[in-house]
Amino acid sequence: MTKADIVAEIVEETGLERAEALRAVEAFMNSVKGSLSEGKNVYLRGFGSFVVKERAEKTGRNISKNTAIIIPAHNIPSFKPA
């Protein structure tokens, strides 16, 4: 399902204008992205959780040069369904 499909279903279910539904979906997505970029988790009861996970530092390989590289620790977004 794409963002356009979600907007179309919202328009069909609520009778809102397409532009209003798109603005609401965009606002929701921006809010979730903003919270995750600040390191805050987002919990939607009955739907799931958008959480920030920390990945540890690890050693990787550059196969074209056959050298080891260090991949630093970093945070990644993740979704956990309810």
Side-chain angles (χ1 to χ4, degrees), residues 3 7 12 15 25 29 31-32 34-37 43 47-48 53 55 59 62-63 70-71 75 80-81:
K3 184 169 36 171
V7 170
E12 189 176 304
V25 170
M29 293 175 130
S31 178
V32 170
S35 293
L36 292 176
S37 67
Y43 303 103
F47 180 70
K53 291 185 176 182
R55 292 285 168 120
T59 304
N62 181 345
I63 59 173
I70 301 296
I71 301 169
N75 294 329
K80 196 166 136 184

Side-chain angles (χ1 to χ4, degrees), residues 29-63:
M29 293 175 130
N30 288 336
S31 178
V32 170
K33 281 193 278 185
S35 293
L36 292 176
S37 67
E38 293 172 4
K40 299 177 187 172
N41 296 333
V42 178
Y43 303 103
L44 301 173
R45 190 175 303 270
F47 180 70
S49 303
F50 295 93
V51 295
V52 178
K53 291 185 176 182
E54 186 173 327
R55 292 285 168 120
E57 181 179 281
K58 62 183 179 180
T59 304
R61 302 234 15 116
N62 181 345
I63 59 173

